[in-house]
Amino acid sequence: MSTTPDESAATENSEESPLADPEFRERLRELPPSAKLVAKVLETDAPLSQGQLAEESLLPDRTVRYALNRLEESELVGSRYSFHDARKQVYYLSN
């Protein structure tokens, strides 16, 4: 099945977290609290869809969408189509 790429991406993020990088942390520091929370959730559970992020962070969908837009503008988050459902994007922290 195609679950292996999702699992390997999560393993890569847990082994070498971008949040440990001082430059990454400095760029994140300038963002709103919602973006910081979304980044923290992605640090432990990536890749996640927008709906999964809303569920895990307990933030409203609109707030998660705003946080993801800010993180993408700062090039702190990447996205790709889900292997489980090609209609959905999943997000992960970029190095």
Side-chain angles (χ1 to χ4, degrees), residues 1-69:
M1 239 160 135
S2 63
T3 59
T4 307
D6 284 338
E7 292 169 1
S8 65
T11 304
E12 288 174 12
N13 287 344
S14 64
E15 290 175 2
E16 190 177 303
S17 173
L19 286 175
D21 178 24
E23 181 184 332
F24 187 95
R25 291 177 67 88
E26 187 60 37
R27 290 187 296 170
L28 186 61
R29 185 171 281 124
E30 304 299 320
L31 297 179
S34 60
K36 293 172 186 165
L37 177 57
V38 167
K40 189 65 176 171
V41 170
L42 286 173
E43 178 186 31
T44 58
D45 294 331
L48 293 173
S49 69
Q50 181 180 321
Q52 291 170 318
L53 280 166
E55 192 174 303
E56 291 294 319
S57 66
L58 304 176
L59 293 171
D61 289 338
R62 185 175 175 174
T63 304
V64 171
R65 196 167 41 251
Y66 173 75
L68 286 170
N69 285 335

